């Protein structure tokens, strides 16, 4: 009769060896992920503009904050640049997804918008052409975006949205609100989309503020609550005649109140007849 052999019980040395292998594997995985996060953040910041344009009576300022959870970094952007007709173009947006791929796609969207804007200055047409371009490359990602054009000769803002968070405005008389203009679908989803354009004047001392959802949405806030908080803050800042840079910093502070976990970006246009710096 053959006697059954029982498996040898693991010794303390066996357990320590196995634990050592698992620890080493976890360390290498963590180091690899940390490297990807650092690459994504560096790529993200390198693609944001180093300087923002201005015009007589207009100041532009922006702020960006990476995600509190490093795994969620890579995707939000802001941009502002001179258009061929002397007006100023501004874009802000958020790429679906995170990590290095989202940061790289964000760069493509931002540069694509700039390229299209050399051929047309109409915000709706810019978004439409950029959308078709992104659909054609078929990378499996999409982006929400707002594009705005400011004409310093008339003081008129023209804006269009591709599924992005509404902007906030405030006037020098204490009036303020959330801009609920019609929006199109995000960029990169469907070809041939049309993006409606809204027009409004930027009054003396008034402000127009665009944000990404990382500023106004989080575990502690709904988007609506976040936008209301930004509107109230912008109204008080306009009353106090704060510089554009200070206003952008205060709006970014709302993100801390929402306990955001995503990237966050703010872009401020402030009409300043005194011509003071941002």
């Amino acid at each position: 009769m053959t006697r059954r052999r029982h498996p040898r019980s693991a010794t303390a040395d066996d357990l320590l060896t196995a634990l050592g292998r698992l620890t080493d594997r976890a360390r290498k995985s963590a180091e690899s992920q940390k490297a990807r996060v650092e690459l994504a953040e560096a790529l993200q910041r390198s693609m944001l503009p180093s300087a923002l344009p201005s015009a007589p009576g207009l100041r532009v300022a922006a702020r960006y904050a990476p995600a509190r959870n490093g795994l969620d970094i890579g995707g939000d952007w802001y941009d502002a640049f001179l258009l061929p007709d002397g007006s100023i173009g501004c874009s802000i947006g958020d790429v679906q997804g995170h990590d290095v791929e989202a940061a790289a796609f964000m760069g493509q969207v931002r540069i694509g918008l700039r390229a299209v804007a050399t051929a047309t200055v109409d915000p709706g047409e810019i978004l439409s052409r950029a959308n078709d371009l992104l659909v054609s490359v078929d990378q499996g990602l999409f982006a929400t975006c707002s594009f705005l054009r400011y004409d310093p000769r008339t003081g008129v803002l023209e804006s269009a949205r591709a599924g992005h968070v509404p902007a906030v405005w405030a006037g020098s008389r204490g009036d303020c609100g959330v801009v609920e203009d019609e929006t199109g679908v995000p960029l990169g989803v469907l070809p041939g989309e049309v993006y409606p354009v809204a027009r409004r004047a930027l009054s003396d001392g008034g402000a127009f503020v665009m944000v990404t959802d990382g500023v106004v949405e989080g575990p502690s806030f709904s988007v609506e609550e976040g936008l209301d908080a930004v509107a109230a803050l912008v109204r008080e800042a306009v009353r106090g005649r704060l510089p554009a840079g200070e206003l952008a910093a205060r709006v970014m502070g709302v993100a801390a109140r929402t306990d955001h976990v995503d990237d966050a970006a703010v872009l401020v246009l402030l009409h300043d007849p005194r011509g003071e710096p941002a």
Side-chain angles (χ1 to χ4, degrees), residues 126-145:
I126 289 172
L127 290 184
S128 181
R129 294 189 186 187
N131 173 66
D132 289 343
L133 177 63
L134 294 175
V135 170
S136 70
V137 299
D138 190 24
Q139 290 200 0
L141 294 174
F142 64 85
T144 67
C145 175

Side-chain angles (χ1 to χ4, degrees), residues 74-239:
D76 288 19
W77 85 88
Y78 63 83
D79 198 9
F81 53 94
L82 290 175
L83 294 169
D85 66 349
S87 58
I88 294 177
C90 299
S91 69
I92 191 168
D94 183 2
V95 172
Q96 165 261 341
H98 304 99
D99 208 342
V100 178
E101 290 77 10
F105 187 70
M106 175 273 289
Q108 293 178 332
V109 177
R110 176 175 167 253
I111 297 303
L113 289 167
R114 282 197 174 216
V116 170
T118 62
T120 178
V121 296
D122 179 86
E125 184 68 16
I126 289 172
L127 290 184
S128 181
R129 294 189 186 187
N131 173 66
D132 289 343
L133 177 63
L134 294 175
V135 170
S136 70
V137 299
D138 190 24
Q139 290 200 0
L141 294 174
F142 64 85
T144 67
C145 175
S146 290
F147 193 94
L148 178 148
R149 172 181 176 263
Y150 174 76
D151 188 340
R153 294 163 297 188
T154 63
V156 171
L157 295 171
E158 297 179 319
S159 61
R161 288 194 294 143
H164 195 65
V165 180
V168 170
W169 65 274
S172 57
R173 297 180 179 179
D175 47 339
C176 70
V178 176
V179 181
E180 295 288 0
D181 296 330
E182 186 178 356
T183 180
V185 300
L187 303 179
V189 177
L190 297 171
E193 285 299 307
V194 176
Y195 297 91
V197 177
R199 293 171 177 82
R200 60 180 53 80
L202 187 62
S203 60
D204 288 351
F208 192 88
V209 178
M210 297 186 290
V211 300
T212 58
D213 58 5
V215 177
V216 294
E217 183 180 27
S220 304
F221 265 43
S222 67
V223 172
E224 292 76 18
E225 290 174 315
L227 287 170
D228 288 342
V230 170
L233 188 154
V234 174
R235 179 185 60 205
E236 293 305 313
V238 167
R239 282 180 177 176

Side-chain angles (χ1 to χ4, degrees), residues 26-40 69-73 98-101:
R27 178 183 58 79
K28 290 179 179 178
S29 177
E31 289 175 350
S32 175
Q33 183 58 49
K34 180 182 178 182
R36 287 182 64 85
V37 168
E38 290 176 347
L39 175 59
N69 177 1
L71 300 178
D72 291 335
I73 200 167
H98 304 99
D99 208 342
V100 178
E101 290 77 10

